[in-house]
Amino acid sequence: MMTQELDSHLEASPYPSRYEGNRPRNEAIGRPLTRFAKIREVDDELLDRIGRRMYARDEVGAALVQAMRLDRNDPERVTMRQFHQALEHGVDTVPNAPGALRTFFSHVEQVPDWVDWNLLERGARAFRRMGRTRNDVLLQLALIGGYRFGGPPDLLVETGGLTGSTAMRRLGETQKWGTAVGEPGAMRRDGDGFKLTVHVRAMHALVNQRFETNGRWDIGYWGLPINQTDQAATLGLFNGTLLIGARALGYLVTREESAAIMHMWKYIGWLMGVDDDFLFDTEREQHHFNYHVVLVQDDVTPAGAALSRALVDGHRTLDYGRFSGLVGRYERLRLLSMLRFFLGKRGLEDLGLPTVPPVAVAPVIAKNVVKSTLIKRTPEGRRFLEYLGDRVARRELRLKFAGARADVGALEL
């Protein structure tokens, strides 16, 4: 499936213009990954695949969306009502289900042979045990850290995501999904993690089709709105970047935990429509890929700064209960302090954020050392940390959804 505009861009160049937008800067940002992954030389073949797939989409999702765009009287047209019915209760419960709907669900319900449910569940438990550190790393190093590169942040601004009054609610929607996939049994067919992941995949396909065809997105410069490279890069934030960031905050991640978390996110990535050769079993493989993705990114854009400020300042608007104003100011300063630790002074300057000393990090590291080296050593301790992780997740979601307007559903793009 290919639009005429995309075809013309491919004839002009195999890569969009943003490819290698600022190589020297990106090499500096990615340098820590060369140590983690023991990278001694750049893989030009991998760079080529990464560049070309900025023009590649999730074709399974695209076929579903194409059927959603058919004429209302076409019996093969798929409606959102039919999609949600199939997602919740199975496609066989949809009367006269269109072929595209059956094909889509036949694909996502076909569990790959390599999925090990026991290993996946161990990954989910390890993911939950990280507690607030998990949320800290995913927000600070993964999400806001990712705003240092143009492309996905610019699309978020175009869709109205994470700006203005919707900032914290949209962050809450992301955290809701991130929490759901780590719940016990969540990635089985009837689990909330499975359903939310498939729902997000369909929403991504809708956004991609909408911006690919409406002329508002510069495909020649950015590539497709939601492309294979950006999807795989985002997946790498939830596994490899999470594991690096947790260790940096003093949380000991064992080899077994690393393998299990990687396996959990490999299946989630597959379910999201990421190409198989961009899915990895080991942390080292993921870091190797992530480094090459960083190398070819564009420079920071105004969108990254706008999104970052919205998230940082949004922490002052949440309702923390008693002494809410004081707690809100503390949470904002804590976030800036930890961003200074992860991104450095230059990173904060790139995003137009104020620089504060990283004083909030030392207590976090001390707590994580105790949790991951002492409490986590026993089965009872691990269960206790999972319980604490669940409490933290529920509190975070309650704050995000209670403290922002309820008139915008973040997944309804």
Side-chain angles (χ1 to χ4, degrees), residues 277-321:
D277 62 333
F278 281 177
L279 301 174
F280 305 103
D281 293 303
T282 69
E283 207 179 325
R284 183 173 176 180
E285 290 174 306
Q286 186 68 62
H287 295 325
H288 183 268
F289 175 81
N290 288 356
Y291 174 70
H292 286 77
V293 167
V294 168
L295 286 184
V296 302
Q297 293 303 305
D298 195 23
D299 210 338
V300 65
T301 67
L307 294 168
S308 301
R309 286 194 301 271
L311 289 177
V312 169
D313 293 340
H315 280 74
R316 296 180 59 178
T317 68
L318 300 180
D319 183 5
Y320 297 97

Side-chain angles (χ1 to χ4, degrees), residues 15 51 84-85 136 198 286 356 381 403:
Y15 317 136
H84 286 298
Q85 174 70 20
D136 281 340
V198 172
Q286 186 68 62
V356 301

Side-chain angles (χ1 to χ4, degrees), residues 60-118:
V60 174
L64 175 70
V65 170
Q66 186 179 39
M68 290 180 172
R69 300 306 189 198
L70 294 175
D71 184 81
R72 287 182 176 273
N73 297 321
D74 194 318
E76 289 302 310
R77 178 175 179 262
V78 176
T79 67
M80 287 304 299
R81 182 188 295 274
Q82 289 174 320
F83 172 78
H84 286 298
Q85 174 70 20
L87 183 61
E88 289 296 327
H89 305 290
V91 71
D92 288 339
T93 68
V94 178
N96 302 313
L101 187 68
R102 289 191 175 277
T103 299
F104 179 82
F105 278 95
S106 174
H107 176 81
V108 298
E109 291 174 353
Q110 182 181 0
V111 180
D113 293 339
W114 47 261
V115 172
D116 181 335
W117 289 111
N118 289 330

Side-chain angles (χ1 to χ4, degrees), residues 79-194:
T79 67
M80 287 304 299
R81 182 188 295 274
Q82 289 174 320
F83 172 78
H84 286 298
Q85 174 70 20
L87 183 61
E88 289 296 327
H89 305 290
V91 71
D92 288 339
T93 68
V94 178
N96 302 313
L101 187 68
R102 289 191 175 277
T103 299
F104 179 82
F105 278 95
S106 174
H107 176 81
V108 298
E109 291 174 353
Q110 182 181 0
V111 180
D113 293 339
W114 47 261
V115 172
D116 181 335
W117 289 111
N118 289 330
L119 182 61
L120 190 150
E121 289 298 327
R122 291 199 296 273
R125 290 195 294 271
F127 189 65
R128 295 198 300 276
R129 283 196 293 269
M130 290 183 177
R132 189 173 189 183
T133 290
R134 176 189 72 189
N135 288 347
D136 281 340
V137 174
L138 290 178
L139 171 60
Q140 298 153 12
L141 182 58
L143 185 62
I144 296 179
Y147 291 160
R148 292 173 293 176
F149 309 106
D154 299 82
L155 180 63
L156 277 173
V157 169
E158 286 291 328
T159 63
L162 295 178
T163 57
S165 63
T166 69
M168 303 312 289
R169 182 175 177 83
R170 294 228 170 185
L171 176 60
E173 289 286 357
T174 301
Q175 290 181 338
K176 177 182 178 181
W177 171 70
T179 298
V181 297
E183 293 298 311
M187 296 312 298
R188 297 280 188 171
R189 173 59 181 88
D190 293 331
D192 286 343
F194 176 96

Side-chain angles (χ1 to χ4, degrees), residues 144-333:
I144 296 179
Y147 291 160
R148 292 173 293 176
F149 309 106
D154 299 82
L155 180 63
L156 277 173
V157 169
E158 286 291 328
T159 63
L162 295 178
T163 57
S165 63
T166 69
M168 303 312 289
R169 182 175 177 83
R170 294 228 170 185
L171 176 60
E173 289 286 357
T174 301
Q175 290 181 338
K176 177 182 178 181
W177 171 70
T179 298
V181 297
E183 293 298 311
M187 296 312 298
R188 297 280 188 171
R189 173 59 181 88
D190 293 331
D192 286 343
F194 176 96
K195 292 176 182 178
L196 279 174
T197 300
V198 172
H199 184 261
V200 170
R201 180 174 185 171
M203 294 303 102
H204 281 176
L206 282 166
V207 170
N208 199 54
Q209 192 274 344
R210 173 178 148 202
F211 281 88
E212 186 179 344
T213 58
N214 68 6
R216 289 171 52 188
W217 185 252
D218 190 344
I219 295 175
Y221 189 86
W222 296 116
L224 291 181
I226 298 180
N227 58 69
Q228 280 292 334
T229 290
D230 288 340
Q231 283 192 281
T234 300
L235 179 66
L237 299 176
F238 282 90
N239 53 25
T241 300
L242 169 65
L243 295 170
I244 285 179
R247 291 193 182 97
L249 291 178
Y251 190 92
L252 175 65
V253 181
T254 67
R255 289 185 178 182
E256 292 76 15
E257 288 174 325
S258 171
I261 288 173
M262 288 297 301
H263 191 72
M264 180 185 82
W265 283 103
K266 181 180 179 181
Y267 177 54
I268 294 169
W270 179 88
L271 204 57
M272 288 285 289
V274 176
D275 285 343
D276 288 354
D277 62 333
F278 281 177
L279 301 174
F280 305 103
D281 293 303
T282 69
E283 207 179 325
R284 183 173 176 180
E285 290 174 306
Q286 186 68 62
H287 295 325
H288 183 268
F289 175 81
N290 288 356
Y291 174 70
H292 286 77
V293 167
V294 168
L295 286 184
V296 302
Q297 293 303 305
D298 195 23
D299 210 338
V300 65
T301 67
L307 294 168
S308 301
R309 286 194 301 271
L311 289 177
V312 169
D313 293 340
H315 280 74
R316 296 180 59 178
T317 68
L318 300 180
D319 183 5
Y320 297 97
R322 193 177 183 185
F323 307 118
S324 185
L326 182 63
V327 175
R329 287 193 293 273
Y330 165 77
E331 289 293 339
R332 179 179 180 274
L333 286 174

